[in-house]
Amino acid sequence: MTQNDMGIGILGTGKYLPEKIMTNHDLEKMVDTSDEWIRTRTGISERRILDKEKATSFMATQAGKKAIEDAGLKPKDIDLIIVSTVTPDMAFPSTACLVQDNLECENAAAYDLEAACSGFLYGLSMAYSQIYAGLCKHVLLIGAETLSRITDWNDRNTCVLFGDGAGAAVIGEVPKGKGILAIDLGADGKGGKHLTQPAGGSLIPATIESVNNRMHYIRMEGNEVFKFAVRTMAESSLKVLDKAGIDIKDIDFLVPHQANIRIIDASRKKLKLPEDKVIINLNKYGNMSSASIPVALEEALNEGRIKENDNLILVGFGGGLTWGSCLIKWHK
Ligand code: UT7
């Protein structure tokens, strides 16, 4: 996809991170692990955990509200709300509909999107298409996850990795030649078995047995996902560069999915990018699935790192298995 007669880009961003911090030292008291192992093998030092009485829609609402304000818009200006999440408040109504009610976005349609950690990129593609087709003017896209609720706190292989949070963006028209210049999405359903939450759907509904067997928690073959991630992050980034006709030397920042510092480093090396061109915040938050990329983007913007006309690649991978990337010439 290339941009033709109009520019479509991000008009505003927002985030919400729960206040409660769980450090690696806290995890040392829960499973057989160490701060040293977690930091050296993943790059994570701490993650945020949402209070028990709250759920994904709460964080999504907070992040979405900030993004609408940051875009200089009112809730009634939003035509569509997409919430990317694998941890909706409930199966239905969708979390997007709960957010639509909370934010009083009376003119917005709303739906949830599930592409795991690639969800924000899939959502950008959906938002772009809706606006390009003239069906919407302003789309509120939110990546929000309460992964602590589906994390097996007895499994050291996975529980050290994940955290809770939400990131949001409002997508709309920007000047021609700016905004989203190219998108690449992909999926490999054969590899889906490497990262699952087996129960809770129509195949294995909740039963005493499924709960006792801890089947409602994340299960992952970390090594398989690791290899897939390094390959697809680099390949997908090269695809959007090619589609947009931009050289890697002209990329100012890579905003990768924040899963593991070693995955990010290996992808960066494949792309021959210097370290200072990569946005990293996973040390503070761990892997927040579809919230990782929008939160990293929001923080880089707020720190003043990203400037007008900077070329960014947003890139991620995740359950499904899925991947995606998006090349943006920044304008706000
Ligand atoms: O958003 C997508 C979601 N998923 C991912 O991004 C995950 C991608 N994969 C990874 O990030 C890495 O594969 C992990 C961080 C999950 C694991 O790192 P690894 O270097 O692939 O370790 P490993 O699974 O090969 O395990 C090495 C050793 C094992 O011990 P033995 O068999 O060598 O004795 C594990 O049992 O490390 C052990 N281990 C731990 N030790 C201390 C695994 N987890 C831990 C832990 N603390 N938390």
Side-chain angles (χ1 to χ4, degrees):
M1 178 195 65
T2 51
Q3 204 174 31
N4 297 323
D5 46 346
M6 77 189 288
I8 296 166
I10 293 177
L11 307 179
T13 56
K15 69 168 179 187
Y16 178 84
L17 281 320
E19 275 171 29
K20 187 178 167 197
I21 295 173
M22 182 186 279
T23 66
N24 292 347
H25 296 293
D26 294 328
L27 281 162
E28 284 173 345
K29 294 173 201 140
M30 296 160 66
V31 286
D32 180 15
T33 190
S34 67
D35 172 54
E36 206 261 334
W37 192 96
I38 303 170
R39 273 190 296 103
T40 53
R41 304 307 290 170
T42 72
I44 301 165
S45 297
E46 55 188 48
R47 68 288 292 143
R48 301 297 175 98
I49 305 291
L50 187 64
D51 291 343
K52 277 205 169 61
E53 65 279 4
K54 296 192 174 108
T56 298
S57 65
F58 170 79
M59 296 191 292
T61 300
Q62 304 303 314
K65 186 170 186 284
K66 287 186 194 138
I68 295 172
E69 284 165 9
D70 190 43
L73 297 172
K74 299 272 177 247
K76 66 173 170 41
D77 298 324
I78 302 297
D79 310 302
L80 174 64
I81 299 173
I82 305 172
V83 174
S84 165
T85 185
V86 293
T87 48
D89 286 26
M90 58 196 95
F92 56 88
S94 68
T95 300
C97 281
L98 302 175
V99 171
Q100 190 252 6
D101 182 33
N102 291 343
L103 291 177
E104 298 179 8
C105 288
E106 60 204 46
N107 299 316
Y111 70 91
D112 284 2
L113 179 161
E114 203 276 84
C117 308
S118 314
F120 191 77
L121 297 157
Y122 271 63
L124 275 179
S125 171
M126 297 305 106
Y128 182 101
S129 319
Q130 291 278 323
I131 296 167
Y132 192 81
L135 299 172
C136 290
K137 205 160 175 238
H138 299 121
V139 178
L140 174 61
L141 170 63
I142 306 170
E145 303 288 2
T146 318
L147 293 173
S148 60
R149 303 281 156 80
I150 61 165
T151 296
D152 185 343
W153 294 104
N154 290 345
D155 177 12
R156 71 173 184 174
N157 291 295
T158 54
C159 76
V160 302
L161 303 173
F162 301 108
D164 301 337
V170 173
I171 295 102
E173 192 171 345
V174 296
K176 191 177 168 187
K178 298 197 180 189
I180 295 170
L181 300 186
I183 294 179
D184 173 59
L185 300 179
D188 170 17
K190 276 199 181 58
K193 58 182 182 276
H194 300 310
L195 181 51
T196 63
Q197 182 193 4
S202 58
L203 183 64
I204 310 174
T207 60
I208 289 169
E209 198 190 7
S210 71
V211 171
N212 285 342
N213 289 333
R214 312 184 79 75
M215 295 174 82
H216 299 260
Y217 294 129
I218 298 168
R219 291 188 178 179
M220 184 173 68
E221 290 167 59
N223 286 324
E224 293 297 331
V225 180
F226 194 103
K227 283 183 277 179
F228 162 81
V230 174
R231 178 169 54 80
T232 52
M233 294 248 283
E235 279 177 11
S236 188
S237 300
L238 291 173
K239 272 196 190 147
V240 284
L241 284 165
D242 188 46
K243 284 183 189 184
I246 288 180
D247 194 279
I248 187 75
K249 290 192 194 72
D250 296 319
I251 291 301
D252 297 286
F253 289 105
L254 187 75
V255 188
H257 172 46
Q258 309 281 315
N260 185 319
I261 192 68
R262 292 185 294 133
I263 292 174
I264 295 174
D265 267 347
S267 311
R268 176 184 67 73
K269 282 178 189 155
K270 278 192 164 200
L271 292 168
K272 300 189 174 65
L273 272 174
E275 273 182 54
D276 61 355
K277 286 193 171 183
V278 183
I279 305 292
I280 291 167
N281 67 359
L282 90 166
N283 50 313
K284 296 187 286 183
Y285 306 128
N287 179 348
M288 299 184 288
S289 190
S290 61
S292 281
I293 290 175
V295 170
L297 177 67
E298 199 269 358
E299 295 199 338
L301 286 164
N302 268 343
E303 288 160 12
R305 291 181 74 184
I306 297 172
K307 305 209 166 50
E308 183 77 18
N309 288 323
D310 275 357
N311 289 320
L312 320 177
I313 295 179
L314 279 48
V315 59
F317 65 92
L321 298 171
T322 55
W323 68 86
S325 61
C326 178
L327 202 154
I328 299 177
K329 182 174 278 297
W330 190 253
H331 169 81
K332 187 167 171 312

